[in-house]
Amino acid sequence: MIKVKKRKILLLPGDGIGPEVVDEVKKIIHWFNKKKSLDFETEEDLVGGASYEKHKKPITDEVFYKALESEAVILGAVGGPKWDDLEFSKRPERALLKLRKELKLFANLRPAICFKQLVDASSLKPEIVSGLDIMIVRELTGGIYFGEPRGIKPIENGERKGINTHTYTSGEIIRVAKVAFELAQKRNKKVTSCEKSNVMESGILWREEVQKVKDEEYTNIELNHMLADNCAMQLLKDPKQFDVIVTDNLFGDILSDEAAMLTGSLGLLPSASLGAKDKNGKMRSMYEPVHGSAPDIAGTKKANPIATILSFSMALRYSLELDKEADNLDQAVQKVLDDGLRTKDILSKGKKEVSTSQMGDAIISKLK
Ligand code: IPM
Ligand code: MG
């Protein structure tokens, strides 16, 4: 077997169940290194509340530079009630936002797939969700999350005013639209673009720029524009009408949670945050499960590691050009679900409950 060059992966387990689920990815990386002679080199460091405890900040410059140097970052989860009262700049979530913004990870891919083994876990009727396979592309470095001015300032009468600004430039819209069209090209060739052009100028710009990209470069793709509130409704009514949804940072945050919940199993959904390709075709990237740090079950061995394992599979596919290995891993997950193994969050009658590490081991045993 040919040895490929060393590939640096930075592991940032973070808080709550983050370290437990990332541990299972570590085992899988070890398996690929040993059994497939791949040369992944992993480093691990602190982020979020865990970093705050040691360094009094949610991410240190040193960790940030490690992220900059690595081919892919795998993040567990950040946050927890322990840090809820910290001032804004010190909160665990700021680490996530800094990584996204400063690594320029403008395209956030959030697949919502309803696994056939888990159709009954959805709160929607099986016929509405079975076979569901949507890809949400959320813009991740612009919009109201980062717009200036922002803040809380005193005004007359002793009142205060909270300010956030929603802005988008055409360049920011065009680059994320292209990611969505490229993905649709390899899927069912359908993009739905969501904004609020009925009330927001930035929504009008969004709609116009996405349409222009389609007309100029992707004439074979079907493009529909939809108001974001209508999209929220349509996701519940008839989610299978969608293939790729492209939308801004805030609407994407909300719609992707909704879409995730259609599948009934947040513990299974991965995500990828991607930057622009450089001249060698390489890009910065970060992969993380869609679920949060779930502090209530941290340390109980109940966490579902599948979302993080599938996030690593996305890293294999999108950052490391190892499609075959990604398929291998995705199929191993399917086989374990076929065998009826379930962590607590997706347990149903007649299935066998396993712990976080038993789930990881079972997946490894199915790798080819
Ligand atoms: C997400 C999360 C984050 C966001 C939080 C933790 C800052 O909800 O990744 O969707 O709002 O983007
Ligand atoms: Mg969110």
Side-chain angles (χ1 to χ4, degrees):
M1 189 145 295
I2 309 162
K3 280 243 174 193
V4 300
K5 75 170 171 47
K6 276 208 194 297
R7 320 195 100 186
K8 274 199 204 164
I9 299 177
L10 177 64
L11 303 170
L12 299 176
D15 308 322
I17 59 170
E20 297 162 45
V21 292
V22 170
D23 270 351
E24 301 312 306
V25 170
K26 270 193 251 175
K27 289 200 255 177
I28 288 169
I29 293 175
H30 180 71
W31 187 93
F32 275 111
N33 276 348
K34 216 170 123 206
K35 295 287 164 77
K36 297 284 167 187
S37 302
L38 296 180
D39 225 344
F40 293 126
E41 194 181 83
T42 56
E43 237 195 291
E44 189 173 328
D45 222 312
L46 299 174
V47 75
S51 168
Y52 178 80
E53 292 302 316
K54 183 149 183 223
H55 305 292
K56 293 283 164 273
K57 37 170 112 166
I59 182 167
T60 60
D61 290 346
E62 196 194 334
V63 173
F64 176 73
Y65 286 116
K66 279 185 194 171
L68 216 53
E69 295 290 298
S70 59
E71 275 196 63
V73 177
I74 311 282
L75 189 131
V78 294
K82 191 170 174 192
W83 305 286
D84 274 354
D85 296 327
L86 286 180
E87 79 173 72
F88 209 51
S89 67
K90 301 219 155 87
R91 292 178 58 134
E93 294 80 8
R94 297 315 296 176
L96 203 56
L97 296 174
K98 181 181 161 97
L99 283 164
R100 289 174 181 174
K101 184 71 177 172
E102 294 186 22
L103 296 178
K104 302 191 173 67
L105 308 175
F106 64 87
N108 184 210
L109 279 45
R110 298 189 164 188
I113 296 169
C114 188
F115 286 70
K116 63 177 189 309
Q117 302 90 339
L118 294 166
V119 171
D120 293 327
S122 175
S123 48
L124 271 73
K125 295 192 192 98
E127 63 270 26
I128 305 271
V129 291
S130 79
L132 181 73
D133 181 354
I134 304 177
M135 177 67 90
I136 298 200
V137 180
R138 167 189 178 191
E139 200 290 328
L140 203 60
T141 53
I144 203 155
Y145 271 59
F146 297 100
E148 299 281 348
R150 63 185 297 156
I152 301 177
K153 66 170 191 190
I155 52 169
E156 319 82 69
N157 321 326
E159 280 201 273
R160 295 187 301 158
K161 190 181 199 171
I163 304 159
N164 290 93
T165 307
H166 182 75
T167 63
Y168 271 107
T169 62
S170 21
E172 287 174 317
I173 300 167
I174 291 167
R175 66 183 181 179
V176 76
K178 286 186 179 174
V179 171
F181 285 120
E182 287 297 328
L183 286 165
Q185 204 71 276
K186 296 190 193 131
R187 297 172 47 102
N188 293 327
K189 303 198 166 30
K190 190 171 167 191
V191 172
T192 306
S193 168
C194 297
E195 27 60 17
K196 282 285 286 176
S197 55
N198 54 345
V199 283
M200 292 159 75
E201 283 78 1
S202 61
I204 297 177
L205 184 73
W206 185 280
R207 184 176 281 230
E208 288 175 359
E209 294 298 343
V210 174
Q211 184 66 47
K212 240 192 269 169
V213 174
K214 180 216 139 75
D215 293 343
E216 284 165 13
E217 292 177 50
Y218 299 95
T219 45
N220 67 324
I221 304 276
E222 177 188 341
L223 170 65
N224 296 298
H225 301 281
M226 196 178 269
L227 297 175
D229 52 345
N230 185 25
C231 180
M233 192 260 276
Q234 295 294 335
L235 273 170
L236 293 180
K237 194 175 157 210
D238 177 20
K240 282 188 262 182
Q241 70 182 284
F242 297 107
D243 178 23
V244 176
I245 294 175
V246 62
T247 189
D248 75 21
N249 205 343
L250 183 61
F251 296 141
D253 181 44
I254 297 165
L255 294 174
S256 64
D257 263 27
E258 188 190 352
M261 214 47 228
L262 294 175
T263 71
S265 40
L266 219 46
L268 263 55
L269 297 176
S271 80
S273 304
L274 310 176
K277 290 207 163 97
D278 67 15
K279 18 181 217 310
N280 306 318
K282 288 274 165 207
M283 63 187 173
R284 298 240 155 76
S285 58
M286 179 161 76
Y287 298 84
E288 53 182 308
V290 167
H291 63 69
S293 60
D296 52 321
I297 60 159
T300 64
K301 302 185 166 57
K302 286 188 185 136
N304 187 346
I306 294 182
T308 315
I309 289 171
L310 292 178
S311 298
F312 177 61
S313 159
M314 287 185 94
L316 291 169
R317 209 178 289 286
Y318 292 106
S319 289
L320 303 160
E321 287 147 40
L322 292 167
D323 280 66
K324 254 188 18 219
E325 285 72 10
D327 290 341
N328 189 359
L329 188 50
D330 290 350
Q331 283 156 16
V333 170
Q334 290 298 326
K335 285 183 196 148
V336 168
L337 293 175
D338 285 340
D339 283 355
L341 301 193
R342 303 281 188 270
T343 42
K344 174 102 190 185
D345 56 311
I346 50 172
L347 187 62
S348 59
K349 235 173 100 199
K351 307 294 183 223
K352 182 172 187 287
E353 183 174 348
V354 293
S355 69
T356 311
S357 66
Q358 284 169 333
M359 181 57 95
D361 292 340
I363 292 169
I364 289 173
S365 76
K366 301 286 185 192
L367 285 169
K368 288 194 297 229

